[in-house]
Amino acid sequence: MSVHFEEITKETLYIALEMINSNPNYNIIENGSAQRELSEIEEEFLNPETISVFIKLDDTYIGVMDYLMENPKDQSPWLGLLMIHGDYQGFGFGAQAYALYESEMRNRGLERVRIGVIKENVMAKQFWESLGFLYIKTAKSDYGKEIFVYEKNFPKEA
């Protein structure tokens, strides 16, 4: 069983909404509401700036990921969201999905990636630190939340 990615489209957006709404605690931290609406995530996942994909385990949708090849603010690639459906958390699928993402980014010639973690999201900080991300600074999100910015430099191939 292997993890792979599939692009999120207008037709499959409702599946992404289910993934997001299976994580009510994250939604509360993110925007104060346990459930999101389709129109909210349409803006997030179907826009020309970011690449939005499902994380699939064989034929099963188990998560979503959203990333930016180059953030105009700092010219760095950013992984905006990696979320595993609540029912599939704790089995290592998030780490597998990240490893596949990192491999694809390295193949594209990138040397590092940045992420932002909401200050209150302790589990996410632990997860990203376990994957080798290092805290570099604190910033404010577009919504005024305090964000911890992490960065991971990819090791050079020998």
Side-chain angles (χ1 to χ4, degrees):
M1 297 201 333
S2 64
V3 169
H4 62 278
F5 300 137
E6 175 185 302
E7 187 183 354
I8 296 174
T9 65
K10 195 156 179 63
E11 293 71 37
T12 56
L13 190 64
Y14 73 96
I15 302 168
L17 181 65
E18 189 200 323
M19 300 290 148
I20 298 290
N21 284 337
S22 77
N23 290 283
N25 292 345
Y26 172 82
N27 290 336
I28 289 167
I29 291 172
E30 172 76 13
N31 64 19
S33 169
Q35 297 289 296
R36 304 281 303 271
E37 300 295 326
L38 201 61
S39 57
E40 292 175 76
I41 69 157
E42 182 169 357
E43 195 176 306
E44 196 172 323
F45 290 137
L46 301 180
N47 69 72
E49 287 83 42
T50 66
I51 298 166
S52 303
V53 295
F54 287 109
I55 301 163
K56 291 183 79 177
L57 184 65
D58 297 329
D59 293 332
T60 306
Y61 293 96
I62 63 165
V64 289
M65 195 162 72
D66 187 58
Y67 60 95
L68 197 57
M69 291 304 293
E70 184 178 298
N71 185 331
K73 293 178 184 168
D74 64 4
Q75 288 66 58
S76 290
W78 276 75
L79 177 54
L81 179 69
L82 190 164
M83 178 184 281
I84 300 296
H85 188 286
D87 294 347
Y88 293 94
Q89 289 176 7
F91 299 104
F93 297 133
Q96 282 181 42
Y98 173 74
L100 179 59
Y101 164 81
E102 182 178 305
S103 171
E104 288 186 7
M105 294 306 109
R106 289 167 71 152
N107 289 342
R108 294 182 190 194
L110 297 178
E111 296 175 359
R112 68 175 186 278
V113 65
R114 287 185 173 172
I115 57 166
V117 178
I118 297 169
K119 184 178 143 187
E120 294 83 4
N121 197 343
V122 176
M123 281 178 62
K125 288 187 282 196
Q126 291 169 343
F127 173 76
W128 293 112
E129 288 168 4
S130 78
L131 294 175
F133 278 79
L134 300 174
Y135 169 83
I136 54 172
K137 65 182 178 184
T138 301
K140 286 267 188 242
S141 76
D142 297 340
Y143 313 107
K145 290 210 179 274
E146 214 172 327
I147 301 291
F148 288 175
V149 177
Y150 285 82
E151 183 174 271
K152 182 175 183 184
N153 289 293
F154 305 150
K156 298 270 184 274
E157 297 296 327

